């Protein structure tokens, strides 16, 4: 399998070149921590736009925490994949304790990442939500649904599953991907270097703005 990107910086620069071809109204770039932030930093530089984060936490199935049945942000409504809930015999009501835990963690991380800096205003702006790739999309869905005050909401990623565009139809104003391979596998498979991004790196990148 041919790798598409060397690392997240390479992916962000390539995505940034694509996005810079379009006209934007007072763009704001929001990275999904942690892996989306290095990509978003390159996009923000390409657009000359401010950089911030939108933190969405995956809500895992009981006993299968790695399998996200939904996600929630610090303040917005939770998003659940109804097909995933049905597969595990779950309901949104049953997931409320897990949702509350993940919302609290989202708030804690958001405060830590901003390190005392105020949030970047999104009302009336074109807001570009950036991640390093999109597989199931539950965290990205929670993130974009938390941005109803934005003028336009755009979800942009270097690589995504081929059916991702349909998943976000009606949820975002525009979906942009550098590549959507037919034989999609885990996001990391498309990078040569997919080293885990640290919290310290996120704070450092945001502090440059």
């Amino acid at each position: 399998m041919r790798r598409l990107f060397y690392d997240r910086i390479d992916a962000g620069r390539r995505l940034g070149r694509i996005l810079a071809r379009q006209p934007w109204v007072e763009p704001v770039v929001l990275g999904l921590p942690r892996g989306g932030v290095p990509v978003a930093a390159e996009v923000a530089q390409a657009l000359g736009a401010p950089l911030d984060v939108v933190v969405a936490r995956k809500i895992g199935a009981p006993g299968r925490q790695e399998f996200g049945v939904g996600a929630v942000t610090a303040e917005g409504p939770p998003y659940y994949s109804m097909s995933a809930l049905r597969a595990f015999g779950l309901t949104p009501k049953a997931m409320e304790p897990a949702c509350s835990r993940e919302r609290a963690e989202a708030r804690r991380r958001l405060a830590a990442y901003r390190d005392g800096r105020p949030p970047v205003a999104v009302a009336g702006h074109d807001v570009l939500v950036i991640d390093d790739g999109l597989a199931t999309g539950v965290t990205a869905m929670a993130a974009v649904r938390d941005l109803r005050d934005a003028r336009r909401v755009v979800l942009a990623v270097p690589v995504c599953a081929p059916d991702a565009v349909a998943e976000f139809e009606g949820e975002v104003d525009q979906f942009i991907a550098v590549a959507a391979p037919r034989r999609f596998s885990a996001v990391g498979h498309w990078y040569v270097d997919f080293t885990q991004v640290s919290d310290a790196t996120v704070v450092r990148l945001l502090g440059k703005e």
Side-chain angles (χ1 to χ4, degrees), residues 163-180:
D163 57 353
V165 177
E167 287 290 324
F168 285 88
E169 187 173 350
E171 297 288 345
V172 296
D173 296 289
Q174 192 173 2
F175 183 105
I176 298 170
V178 177

Side-chain angles (χ1 to χ4, degrees), residues 1-14:
M1 180 182 67
R2 183 175 66 88
R3 311 284 178 167
L4 296 172
F5 311 102
Y6 179 73
D7 58 11
R8 292 179 179 87
I9 293 174
D10 174 42
R13 288 174 178 169
R14 291 174 60 182

Side-chain angles (χ1 to χ4, degrees), residues 65-144:
Q65 290 300 308
E66 77 285 356
F67 191 96
V69 298
V72 67
T73 62
E75 303 298 338
Y79 164 75
Y80 291 103
S81 165
M82 299 312 295
S83 61
L85 287 179
R86 286 194 295 270
F88 285 92
L90 300 169
T91 64
K93 180 73 173 176
M95 298 306 297
E96 284 181 359
C99 178
S100 295
R101 288 194 301 272
E102 296 303 338
R103 187 188 298 280
E105 179 61 13
R107 289 172 175 168
R108 186 195 71 78
R109 288 186 180 231
L110 191 60
Y113 292 148
R114 285 182 172 151
D115 195 27
R117 292 180 295 271
V120 174
V122 299
H125 295 256
D126 287 349
V127 178
L128 291 84
V129 177
I130 310 293
D131 205 353
D132 54 11
L134 200 65
T136 62
V138 291
T139 53
M141 187 69 79
V144 299

Side-chain angles (χ1 to χ4, degrees), residues 46-47 51 58 136:
L47 301 183
L51 173 67
K58 180 172 63 178
T136 62

